[in-house]
Structure formats: structure tokens, C-alpha cells
Amino acid sequence: MADEPDGERVAASLEGWLAGVTFADLGADEVTDLLVDAVVAWAEGQGWRAYRRAPSVMPLPPPYEHRHSWIDLGCARPEGPPIAVEVDRTDRQRTVDKLLAEAEAGRVAIWLRWGTGPFAAPQPPVHMVTCQVTARRGAGRYTKQPVRERPAPEHTTAPVTSGEQADLFAGGA
């Protein structure tokens, strides 16, 4: 299996890269494609080769056992084991099983989950990277805006007198 600290570093690096990815009003397939493109850009920025739809080591069940299963993205690195990345909006056991097989074959297995959360962590050695989005109800459209750091609002330091504050419980019953 791949080196665990290396996998943690790789996952943290990818999560940091994805923090800068923003989009507005995209459908599910468009978000997945955009995230795959972002992972490719991240891998190439590291000097690695990236392969979309790379063959997986996971066998397909009968009657398809003569065909390949695929991972969304494979990355080849000159130093360190290859990386297998699956990008999913849903929580699928088949994805976890596929990534466990990839890890058993010596690859760093990363599950890039996107959606509104919460995201249940997979069993090690699969590493999870998340991309939190907002969804427009009923429209199947998703948005990810940059995180804005805003200061807390300023509060008055003067004591409030009883004449300035209305009794919230008076007069209603």
C-alpha cells in the first residue's frame, strides 16, 4: 500500500488547490467535469502526468469481467506511487471498493466528494478531499463561492437600560 503520510500530504495539497475553485449555477455533470479539470491542473502544476479515465485494477462483475473498470483520474509521479482519484457527488460503496483496490495495488487513493455535505469519511487508506457547494432547491444547479473572512460585528459596550430595550415577552399570550 502507498505510504500513509504521503497520501495525507497529497490529499491536503489537493484540498488546498480546490479551495480556490469557484463556480456558479452549474449542473451536476458540469461540476464533476470542472473538478476533474481542476485536479488535472493541480497534478500538472506539480509536474506530474494526469490521465483522465485511467484503467482501474478493480475487476468488473460478470458478464463484464473482460472489460476495464475506470477511475476518473490517474496521476503518475516521478517520485512516489501513482495517485488514483474518483470524483463523486454521491456516497457509493462501489467507489470505496474501487479506491480500496487501488490502494492495495500501491496507489494513493483519493475520493474527491462534492456536494452540500455532510460527507462520511471512507475507511483508510482511502483519503477524502471535499468540495462543499450550495444547491439551488429543485433546480439541480450548484454554486461554490470563495470563502470570505469577515470580522465579527462590533457590539456596544454601553449598558442597555430598561427604557431602551423592549420586553420581548410582554403583552403576548
Side-chain angles (χ1 to χ4, degrees), residues 1 3-5 15 40 65 75 78 82 108 120 133-134 143 145 149 155:
M1 276 189 221
D3 178 29
E4 203 61 26
E15 188 136 9
V40 168
E65 65 272 4
C75 301
V108 173
V133 302
T134 55
T143 299
Q145 296 299 321
E149 295 292 328
H155 297 282

PDB file of all heavy atoms in Angstrom, residues 1 3-5 15 40 65 75 78 82 108 120 133-134 143 145 149 155:
ATOM      1  N   MET A   1       0.828  -1.187   0.000  1.00  0.00           N
ATOM      2  CA  MET A   1       0.000   0.000   0.000  1.00  0.00           C
ATOM      3  C   MET A   1       0.870   1.247   0.000  1.00  0.00           C
ATOM      4  O   MET A   1       2.003   1.225   0.438  1.00  0.00           O
ATOM      5  CB  MET A   1      -0.901   0.006   1.227  1.00  0.00           C
ATOM      6  CG  MET A   1      -2.151  -0.782   1.040  1.00  0.00           C
ATOM      7  SD  MET A   1      -3.275  -0.533   2.387  1.00  0.00           S
ATOM      8  CE  MET A   1      -3.816  -2.198   2.582  1.00  0.00           C
ATOM      9  N   ASP A   3       2.378   4.896   0.973  1.00  0.00           N
ATOM     10  CA  ASP A   3       2.813   5.494   2.239  1.00  0.00           C
ATOM     11  C   ASP A   3       1.721   6.429   2.762  1.00  0.00           C
ATOM     12  O   ASP A   3       1.306   7.357   2.084  1.00  0.00           O
ATOM     13  CB  ASP A   3       4.117   6.252   1.976  1.00  0.00           C
ATOM     14  CG  ASP A   3       4.654   6.972   3.192  1.00  0.00           C
ATOM     15  OD1 ASP A   3       4.395   6.503   4.311  1.00  0.00           O
ATOM     16  OD2 ASP A   3       5.322   8.000   3.005  1.00  0.00           O
ATOM     17  N   GLU A   4       1.250   6.194   3.989  1.00  0.00           N
ATOM     18  CA  GLU A   4       0.137   6.960   4.571  1.00  0.00           C
ATOM     19  C   GLU A   4       0.435   8.457   4.707  1.00  0.00           C
ATOM     20  O   GLU A   4      -0.380   9.273   4.313  1.00  0.00           O
ATOM     21  CB  GLU A   4      -0.249   6.339   5.913  1.00  0.00           C
ATOM     22  CG  GLU A   4      -1.632   6.642   6.355  1.00  0.00           C
ATOM     23  CD  GLU A   4      -2.722   6.136   5.415  1.00  0.00           C
ATOM     24  OE1 GLU A   4      -2.509   5.170   4.678  1.00  0.00           O
ATOM     25  OE2 GLU A   4      -3.790   6.745   5.418  1.00  0.00           O
ATOM     26  N   PRO A   5       1.587   8.866   5.274  1.00  0.00           N
ATOM     27  CA  PRO A   5       1.866  10.315   5.351  1.00  0.00           C
ATOM     28  C   PRO A   5       1.926  10.972   3.965  1.00  0.00           C
ATOM     29  O   PRO A   5       1.499  12.104   3.798  1.00  0.00           O
ATOM     30  CB  PRO A   5       3.206  10.397   6.075  1.00  0.00           C
ATOM     31  CG  PRO A   5       3.271   9.145   6.888  1.00  0.00           C
ATOM     32  CD  PRO A   5       2.576   8.099   6.038  1.00  0.00           C
ATOM     33  N   GLU A  15      -6.737  19.471  -1.582  1.00  0.00           N
ATOM     34  CA  GLU A  15      -7.804  20.227  -0.920  1.00  0.00           C
ATOM     35  C   GLU A  15      -7.484  21.722  -0.919  1.00  0.00           C
ATOM     36  O   GLU A  15      -8.364  22.551  -1.159  1.00  0.00           O
ATOM     37  CB  GLU A  15      -8.014  19.723   0.511  1.00  0.00           C
ATOM     38  CG  GLU A  15      -9.222  20.330   1.148  1.00  0.00           C
ATOM     39  CD  GLU A  15     -10.072  19.320   1.906  1.00  0.00           C
ATOM     40  OE1 GLU A  15      -9.660  18.178   2.092  1.00  0.00           O
ATOM     41  OE2 GLU A  15     -11.176  19.711   2.296  1.00  0.00           O
ATOM     42  N   VAL A  40      -6.662  17.871 -12.775  1.00  0.00           N
ATOM     43  CA  VAL A  40      -5.642  17.792 -13.835  1.00  0.00           C
ATOM     44  C   VAL A  40      -4.687  18.980 -13.730  1.00  0.00           C
ATOM     45  O   VAL A  40      -3.462  18.822 -13.769  1.00  0.00           O
ATOM     46  CB  VAL A  40      -6.284  17.726 -15.239  1.00  0.00           C
ATOM     47  CG1 VAL A  40      -5.246  17.939 -16.334  1.00  0.00           C
ATOM     48  CG2 VAL A  40      -7.000  16.396 -15.435  1.00  0.00           C
ATOM     49  N   GLU A  65     -16.563  -9.021 -16.999  1.00  0.00           N
ATOM     50  CA  GLU A  65     -15.221  -9.229 -16.453  1.00  0.00           C
ATOM     51  C   GLU A  65     -14.106  -9.094 -17.490  1.00  0.00           C
ATOM     52  O   GLU A  65     -12.951  -8.882 -17.134  1.00  0.00           O
ATOM     53  CB  GLU A  65     -15.121 -10.583 -15.735  1.00  0.00           C
ATOM     54  CG  GLU A  65     -15.291 -11.779 -16.634  1.00  0.00           C
ATOM     55  CD  GLU A  65     -16.747 -12.213 -16.797  1.00  0.00           C
ATOM     56  OE1 GLU A  65     -17.658 -11.563 -16.282  1.00  0.00           O
ATOM     57  OE2 GLU A  65     -16.967 -13.207 -17.488  1.00  0.00           O
ATOM     58  N   CYS A  75      -2.777   9.804 -11.759  1.00  0.00           N
ATOM     59  CA  CYS A  75      -1.620  10.699 -11.845  1.00  0.00           C
ATOM     60  C   CYS A  75      -0.349   9.881 -11.666  1.00  0.00           C
ATOM     61  O   CYS A  75      -0.245   9.084 -10.731  1.00  0.00           O
ATOM     62  CB  CYS A  75      -1.665  11.764 -10.749  1.00  0.00           C
ATOM     63  SG  CYS A  75      -3.125  12.806 -10.791  1.00  0.00           S
ATOM     64  N   PRO A  78       7.065  11.164 -10.753  1.00  0.00           N
ATOM     65  CA  PRO A  78       8.422  10.613 -10.842  1.00  0.00           C
ATOM     66  C   PRO A  78       8.923  10.107  -9.486  1.00  0.00           C
ATOM     67  O   PRO A  78       9.704   9.169  -9.427  1.00  0.00           O
ATOM     68  CB  PRO A  78       9.276  11.783 -11.345  1.00  0.00           C
ATOM     69  CG  PRO A  78       8.461  13.008 -11.129  1.00  0.00           C
ATOM     70  CD  PRO A  78       7.030  12.587 -11.060  1.00  0.00           C
ATOM     71  N   PRO A  82       1.789   6.140  -7.806  1.00  0.00           N
ATOM     72  CA  PRO A  82       0.741   6.816  -8.585  1.00  0.00           C
ATOM     73  C   PRO A  82      -0.430   7.217  -7.689  1.00  0.00           C
ATOM     74  O   PRO A  82      -0.575   6.714  -6.574  1.00  0.00           O
ATOM     75  CB  PRO A  82       0.298   5.762  -9.602  1.00  0.00           C
ATOM     76  CG  PRO A  82       1.327   4.697  -9.560  1.00  0.00           C
ATOM     77  CD  PRO A  82       1.997   4.770  -8.236  1.00  0.00           C
ATOM     78  N   VAL A 108      -1.935   5.898  -4.219  1.00  0.00           N
ATOM     79  CA  VAL A 108      -2.563   6.797  -3.253  1.00  0.00           C
ATOM     80  C   VAL A 108      -3.997   6.971  -3.729  1.00  0.00           C
ATOM     81  O   VAL A 108      -4.239   7.436  -4.842  1.00  0.00           O
ATOM     82  CB  VAL A 108      -1.836   8.167  -3.190  1.00  0.00           C
ATOM     83  CG1 VAL A 108      -2.604   9.133  -2.305  1.00  0.00           C
ATOM     84  CG2 VAL A 108      -0.408   7.997  -2.698  1.00  0.00           C
ATOM     85  N   ALA A 120     -19.390  11.460   4.887  1.00  0.00           N
ATOM     86  CA  ALA A 120     -18.882  10.415   5.780  1.00  0.00           C
ATOM     87  C   ALA A 120     -17.510   9.966   5.273  1.00  0.00           C
ATOM     88  O   ALA A 120     -17.353   9.665   4.087  1.00  0.00           O
ATOM     89  CB  ALA A 120     -19.839   9.237   5.815  1.00  0.00           C
ATOM     90  N   VAL A 133     -20.441  22.685  -1.686  1.00  0.00           N
ATOM     91  CA  VAL A 133     -21.157  23.574  -2.595  1.00  0.00           C
ATOM     92  C   VAL A 133     -22.525  23.890  -2.017  1.00  0.00           C
ATOM     93  O   VAL A 133     -22.985  23.236  -1.082  1.00  0.00           O
ATOM     94  CB  VAL A 133     -21.309  22.956  -4.004  1.00  0.00           C
ATOM     95  CG1 VAL A 133     -19.968  22.621  -4.613  1.00  0.00           C
ATOM     96  CG2 VAL A 133     -22.203  21.738  -3.980  1.00  0.00           C
ATOM     97  N   THR A 134     -23.189  24.880  -2.601  1.00  0.00           N
ATOM     98  CA  THR A 134     -24.583  25.143  -2.264  1.00  0.00           C
ATOM     99  C   THR A 134     -25.432  24.718  -3.457  1.00  0.00           C
ATOM    100  O   THR A 134     -24.972  24.760  -4.600  1.00  0.00           O
ATOM    101  CB  THR A 134     -24.831  26.629  -1.941  1.00  0.00           C
ATOM    102  OG1 THR A 134     -24.385  27.425  -3.042  1.00  0.00           O
ATOM    103  CG2 THR A 134     -24.090  27.050  -0.681  1.00  0.00           C
ATOM    104  N   THR A 143     -23.387  25.869  -6.792  1.00  0.00           N
ATOM    105  CA  THR A 143     -22.519  27.043  -6.746  1.00  0.00           C
ATOM    106  C   THR A 143     -21.477  26.852  -5.659  1.00  0.00           C
ATOM    107  O   THR A 143     -21.777  26.305  -4.598  1.00  0.00           O
ATOM    108  CB  THR A 143     -23.350  28.309  -6.451  1.00  0.00           C
ATOM    109  OG1 THR A 143     -24.296  28.488  -7.509  1.00  0.00           O
ATOM    110  CG2 THR A 143     -22.484  29.555  -6.329  1.00  0.00           C
ATOM    111  N   GLN A 145     -18.775  29.529  -3.978  1.00  0.00           N
ATOM    112  CA  GLN A 145     -18.226  30.883  -3.915  1.00  0.00           C
ATOM    113  C   GLN A 145     -16.989  30.883  -3.027  1.00  0.00           C
ATOM    114  O   GLN A 145     -16.839  30.017  -2.169  1.00  0.00           O
ATOM    115  CB  GLN A 145     -19.268  31.859  -3.365  1.00  0.00           C
ATOM    116  CG  GLN A 145     -20.483  32.004  -4.251  1.00  0.00           C
ATOM    117  CD  GLN A 145     -20.137  32.537  -5.633  1.00  0.00           C
ATOM    118  OE1 GLN A 145     -19.288  33.401  -5.783  1.00  0.00           O
ATOM    119  NE2 GLN A 145     -20.788  32.016  -6.654  1.00  0.00           N
ATOM    120  N   GLU A 149     -13.525  35.967   4.629  1.00  0.00           N
ATOM    121  CA  GLU A 149     -13.250  36.173   6.054  1.00  0.00           C
ATOM    122  C   GLU A 149     -13.782  37.550   6.425  1.00  0.00           C
ATOM    123  O   GLU A 149     -13.311  38.566   5.932  1.00  0.00           O
ATOM    124  CB  GLU A 149     -11.738  36.101   6.327  1.00  0.00           C
ATOM    125  CG  GLU A 149     -11.139  34.737   6.058  1.00  0.00           C
ATOM    126  CD  GLU A 149     -11.619  33.682   7.036  1.00  0.00           C
ATOM    127  OE1 GLU A 149     -11.889  34.012   8.211  1.00  0.00           O
ATOM    128  OE2 GLU A 149     -11.745  32.522   6.620  1.00  0.00           O
ATOM    129  N   HIS A 155     -20.030  45.390  18.793  1.00  0.00           N
ATOM    130  CA  HIS A 155     -21.133  45.474  19.738  1.00  0.00           C
ATOM    131  C   HIS A 155     -20.911  46.676  20.638  1.00  0.00           C
ATOM    132  O   HIS A 155     -19.783  47.078  20.895  1.00  0.00           O
ATOM    133  CB  HIS A 155     -21.226  44.199  20.588  1.00  0.00           C
ATOM    134  CG  HIS A 155     -21.510  42.989  19.763  1.00  0.00           C
ATOM    135  ND1 HIS A 155     -22.762  42.700  19.298  1.00  0.00           N
ATOM    136  CD2 HIS A 155     -20.696  42.008  19.302  1.00  0.00           C
ATOM    137  CE1 HIS A 155     -22.724  41.590  18.591  1.00  0.00           C
ATOM    138  NE2 HIS A 155     -21.474  41.150  18.581  1.00  0.00           N
TER     139      HIS A 155
END
